[in-house]
Amino acid sequence: MRRYVSVVALGLCGVLPILGAAQDPAAARAERWLGAVGAAVARQAVATVTRDDVERMSVLIEFRAAPNAAGPVPTQRERTQDANAADANAAPDREAAAAMQRAVESPARALSAALREQGMVVERAFAYQPLLLAMLSRDDIARLAAREDVVAVHPNVRERLPGGETTQSEADVEREFSAATDDAIGERERPQLAVSTVAINADKAWARGFRGQGTAIAILDTGIVASHEMFRGKIVAEACFSDNFGFPQFIDGLCPGVAKSAIGPGTASLCTGGGLVCDHGSHVAGIAAGNNRAASNPRQGVAPEANLIPIQVFSRDTGCTGPGCLAAAVSDQIAALDWLIANGPRFNLVAVNLSLGSSAYNSVACNTDPRNSAFRTLRTMGITATVASGNEGYLAGVSTPACIAPVLTVSAVSSATTPAPSPFGNNAGLVDVMAPGEFISSAIFGTNASYGFKSGTSMAAPHVAGAVAILKSRTAAATPDQIEAALEDSGFAVTRPTWTWTSKRIDVNAALDILGQPPAPAGVPLTGFYPAARTDIDSLLRIMNPSSAQANVSLTVVQNAPRRTLGTYGALVLPRRTLQLSLAEIETALGTPAAADSILTIYASKPITTLFYAQHIAVTRASESLTNLTACAQDLVDREAMLGNVHTPLIAAAQSVITLHNTSGLARRAVFDVSDARTGTSIGVLGTEIIEAGGRLSLPAPQAFTALNFDPTTNVAYANFLLRPGFDGVVKHLMINRNSATIADMTPKCPI
């Protein structure tokens, strides 16, 4: 156990108040914040110090920014191919960043002053993020819960390199492959970086003249061997953000001298403490954009003509020698992202790679993470963040920060012609794309010509960062949304029998073709639908109308690869009704079937401004299990007044349950207007029992229908539950799949 971390009893994250016990909202927030910080301290992920018998913990205080902090306005412009002369075309990005800076500057100054007057230790503010870094006691955190200008208190977690990514020499790996039987090797080729770039068809993109020229990729990692032959003439800027939190006897900061941050040549390439520091970062940078055309055995990264901006964001546990001794504090990552927001445009920064993270299991997007604002700002500026999903082998979850919605989440596959998911890679519906991650050769610490092999999602993510640079070198004005769609819509489909989703291993050359096509149809894109020809899974589209106005919804169906428009389907959605359509129905009506191995995008639009909601529900035929796979360009809504298609008791394979959590400071009763989902006709009004402040209630659908005297006459019946105003809390629709013994959250939906 490291001495700078104290295990303290702050309460457990996620422990619920006792049902029926009244709780003040501020007290509830304090309990939640203390629980999260305490859990991080308990797993030794947060720096703590005890002074004058008061224990203080490193935290990030999220505050309310000024109203104009909704995010920079998206800009469309052509960029010069000369990264060093990009100042003119970078002006819109700088203006957007300046607007964000103005939105956070004044609130940060006021809150910092107020907290310091109360004796709290505020260490720094960030230029573009509504966050303060502070060392606070438990009492300090409890006091913050009463302030209306404080949104949340986050533990300032120190995240590690993904586990298992040890370096092997080329000779060792060659011996391993030579000694193995054909069965043991399977379909994996002899490992080389040249093999993985060919597997994703980067070589074909190079042949067309697109090699990442005029772009830059930032590598937030452990630093880089700047003199390595893969990086000669490629590094256009360097920076270091490495805080020891005032504990030099326990944590080594890795910036020059004793500085917590440094900018300029050499700041990310000190390699202090030997190869442990620069080894991982060099390997990742080489995959993304390394170029060694002069070597006898050429090794080129995915975007060999892209420039590099290495940023050191790790610190080291004092006296420790293993890979697990390095950790990157979330605050240092945010400081690096802040610096890139300010300085990235003049280098034509197009991608930021983070091959790091915690081992936390996340099955849904974690948009409350304090890095969310920075990633959203970068994305709006035209910069894509690629993040490794983690190496824990999770079957339906990813690590942090890969779970944050604005990033491009990357898992790993073998480099083979018919790739399989790597056993170590975390996978889930949150994974956006996949890339080679097994036995990848790249630069390592040692001599200026040292190479080694690593396996992990850390190796997969920079393949995608390089792919982004290639796509931007072809279409400079392409947005991150367009680039992500091109990568997701092309490539090799990868899945497993237990998955309810399919991910694509990237195909850079095919993505170039998709990116160059005419703009997508009008409407909100709903992605990831399976065609009717699939024999194992059905895709259902649900359109929910919670309003009293009917409207015609236009659904344009596009097959992603090979890309073609199947047609436009029109449907009338009545008030209070949920329209459910299978892809088989839509394709039959259009008269144009989709290819069996394709993925479809549906663009939904309507003439009225009243919000409708859409869902993608996937049905696994073997088990008749339902899963909510809704994905769209906008943020999903998971706290909305309408719960659509709640199953009646007659559907034996699935049971619906409505859960309610009263987050207000007063006892509340929830009241629902219930209607037939297919016809919109009223079934009745349902009122729950009183739910005390902070309390929860579980309401099985059979119990609700009994209370309404609703006796469905068909075996397939659904009802919509529309929550009336007056209940302040979280309402969800969960579904128990009896055949597969799984529970699916049917609440998230996409606004259209």
Side-chain angles (χ1 to χ4, degrees):
M1 181 181 296
R2 301 302 301 161
R3 289 171 295 169
Y4 63 85
V5 175
S6 300
V7 180
V8 293
L10 296 184
L12 298 177
C13 181
V15 173
L16 303 178
I18 298 175
L19 186 62
Q23 188 172 28
D24 179 79
R29 285 195 296 273
E31 180 183 0
R32 185 169 63 253
W33 298 348
L34 287 167
V37 175
V41 170
R43 66 176 186 271
Q44 304 183 7
V46 171
T48 68
V49 61
T50 301
R51 293 174 182 155
D52 300 325
D53 295 326
V54 177
E55 184 172 50
R56 299 185 185 276
M57 295 144 288
S58 183
V59 299
L60 288 157
I61 304 170
E62 182 179 354
F63 58 84
R64 300 189 190 282
N68 62 333
V73 177
T75 56
Q76 292 286 343
R77 70 255 175 227
E78 290 296 330
R79 293 181 185 268
T80 175
Q81 293 301 308
D82 181 359
N84 294 320
D87 279 350
N89 285 332
D93 285 343
R94 286 200 300 270
E95 292 169 5
M100 178 64 74
Q101 185 176 25
R102 290 191 296 271
V104 302
E105 185 176 25
S106 180
R109 187 184 303 112
L111 180 58
S112 296
L115 299 186
R116 288 184 173 120
E117 286 180 3
Q118 297 178 36
M120 299 188 197
V121 180
V122 179
E123 297 192 330
R124 66 162 297 173
F126 298 90
Y128 302 98
Q129 313 309 319
L131 297 165
L132 299 176
L133 176 62
M135 293 292 295
L136 301 184
S137 68
R138 285 174 286 176
D139 288 344
D140 292 337
I141 295 173
R143 282 190 290 167
L144 287 178
R147 295 187 63 102
E148 291 189 359
D149 55 349
V150 173
V151 175
V153 174
H154 306 278
N156 184 24
V157 177
R158 297 182 72 226
E159 296 178 332
R160 308 281 169 172
L161 295 172
E165 296 176 352
T166 56
T167 302
Q168 293 178 273
S169 70
E170 294 187 341
D172 287 343
V173 172
E174 182 61 30
R175 280 194 296 271
E176 178 180 333
F177 267 66
S178 298
T181 65
D182 289 341
D183 288 342
I185 295 176
E187 293 191 35
R188 293 183 297 178
E189 297 93 344
R190 280 288 195 270
Q192 287 287 349
L193 181 56
V195 170
S196 68
T197 52
V198 170
I200 62 174
N201 285 328
D203 60 324
K204 294 180 181 178
W206 302 342
R208 296 168 64 178
F210 306 116
R211 299 167 55 87
Q213 61 270 27
T215 69
I217 301 171
I219 307 293
L220 273 61
D221 214 287
T222 64
I224 191 172
V225 181
S227 58
H228 197 284
E229 61 185 8
M230 289 193 90
F231 309 132
R232 289 173 183 165
K234 299 181 66 65
I235 298 175
V236 294
E238 291 184 56
C240 178
F241 300 90
S242 181
D243 197 344
N244 67 10
F245 301 99
F247 313 132
Q249 68 274 38
F250 302 132
I251 304 176
D252 284 334
L254 298 176
C255 295
V258 295
K260 295 183 178 183
S261 63
I263 311 298
T267 55
S269 51
L270 291 176
C271 303
T272 306
L276 176 66
V277 174
C278 287
D279 191 70
H280 190 270
S282 297
H283 200 274
V284 169
I287 295 170
N291 190 340
N292 180 22
R293 287 172 291 186
S296 58
N297 183 11
R299 298 172 174 89
Q300 296 188 64
V302 177
E305 292 189 14
N307 291 319
L308 285 167
I309 304 175
I311 303 181
Q312 161 68 266
V313 293
F314 278 77
S315 56
R316 183 180 57 189
D317 296 359
T318 303
C320 191
T321 58
C325 303
L326 294 174
V330 170
S331 58
D332 285 330
Q333 297 173 46
I334 293 172
L337 296 172
D338 230 34
W339 185 80
L340 288 172
I341 290 170
N343 296 280
R346 67 189 179 99
F347 300 108
N348 198 10
L349 178 67
V350 299
V352 180
N353 189 86
L354 292 89
S355 291
L356 50 80
S358 72
S359 59
Y361 177 92
N362 298 277
S363 60
V364 296
C366 55
N367 292 340
T368 57
D369 188 285
R371 287 163 289 194
N372 182 51
S373 173
F375 286 130
R376 287 180 63 88
T377 300
L378 286 167
R379 190 176 181 99
T380 308
M381 292 171 65
I383 301 166
T384 301
T386 55
V387 181
S389 68
N391 295 345
E392 288 74 25
Y394 296 146
L395 298 180
V398 300
S399 63
T400 307
C403 54
I404 302 174
V407 311
L408 203 57
T409 305
V410 185
S411 191
V413 297
S414 62
S415 303
T417 304
T418 307
S422 296
F424 50 77
N426 294 340
N427 285 289
L430 291 174
V431 170
D432 296 303
V433 292
M434 307 183 82
E438 290 187 9
F439 293 107
I440 307 298
S441 61
S442 186
I444 58 172
F445 180 83
T447 70
N448 293 338
S450 292
Y451 293 87
F453 290 92
K454 293 179 185 288
S455 296
T457 56
S458 286
M459 288 65 252
H463 278 84
V464 180
V468 171
I470 286 179
L471 295 177
K472 291 286 280 188
S473 69
R474 182 194 189 279
T475 306
T479 67
D481 284 349
Q482 292 169 333
I483 288 172
E484 180 174 345
L487 291 172
E488 291 179 351
D489 293 349
S490 58
F492 186 93
V494 180
T495 190
R496 280 179 171 169
T498 56
W499 290 5
T500 56
W501 64 89
T502 297
S503 298
K504 290 290 189 76
R505 184 191 66 180
I506 61 171
D507 182 329
V508 183
N509 193 51
L512 281 171
D513 293 333
I514 291 178
L515 190 66
Q517 290 190 357
V524 175
L526 311 169
T527 62
F529 286 85
Y530 299 104
R534 281 287 292 265
T535 59
D536 57 334
I537 194 167
D538 285 322
S539 277
L540 305 177
L541 171 65
R542 288 180 179 172
I543 305 291
M544 302 180 187
N545 178 5
S547 75
S548 58
Q550 67 181 36
N552 286 297
V553 176
S554 177
L555 306 171
T556 302
V557 184
V558 176
Q559 176 180 287
N560 296 327
R563 191 173 180 87
R564 63 191 179 104
T565 299
L566 303 186
T568 300
Y569 181 95
L572 177 65
V573 187
L574 299 174
R576 306 289 194 268
R577 179 179 173 181
T578 296
L579 177 65
Q580 180 166 288
L581 300 165
S582 69
L583 264 292
E585 292 177 76
I586 296 175
E587 289 182 50
T588 299
L590 296 177
T592 310
D597 61 348
S598 65
I599 300 295
L600 307 178
T601 297
I602 298 177
Y603 295 85
S605 61
K606 56 181 176 42
I608 62 174
T609 57
T610 303
L611 277 178
F612 283 17
Y613 301 96
Q615 289 183 319
H616 172 202
I617 306 300
V619 183
T620 304
R621 290 177 179 170
S623 62
E624 296 183 324
S625 298
L626 275 67
T627 306
N628 187 354
L629 296 185
T630 305
C632 61
Q634 306 180 43
D635 287 339
L636 294 180
V637 175
D638 61 3
R639 291 182 57 190
E640 191 48 51
M642 185 175 188
L643 305 178
N645 276 28
V646 176
H647 295 67
T648 66
L650 293 178
I651 301 178
Q655 178 182 339
S656 288
V657 177
I658 297 172
T659 64
L660 304 98
H661 179 198
N662 180 8
T663 59
S664 74
L666 300 172
R668 288 281 189 265
R669 180 196 306 273
V671 179
F672 295 94
D673 289 299
V674 185
S675 61
D676 187 302
R678 292 187 169 182
T679 65
T681 57
S682 175
I683 293 174
V685 178
L686 177 69
T688 69
E689 62 187 70
I690 293 293
I691 306 173
E692 298 297 333
R696 292 178 182 260
L697 176 67
S698 178
L699 181 64
Q703 179 180 332
F705 292 129
T706 298
L708 288 164
N709 295 317
F710 177 58
D711 185 16
T713 57
T714 62
N715 288 332
V716 181
Y718 311 92
N720 292 334
F721 284 68
L722 185 64
L723 182 68
R724 288 185 177 181
F727 180 80
D728 185 10
V730 179
V731 181
K732 286 186 174 291
H733 171 204
L734 306 181
M735 198 200 62
I736 302 171
N737 289 306
R738 297 185 182 276
N739 292 343
S740 61
T742 60
I743 299 177
D745 185 357
M746 310 303 285
T747 321
K749 50 189 78 77
C750 180
I752 61 172

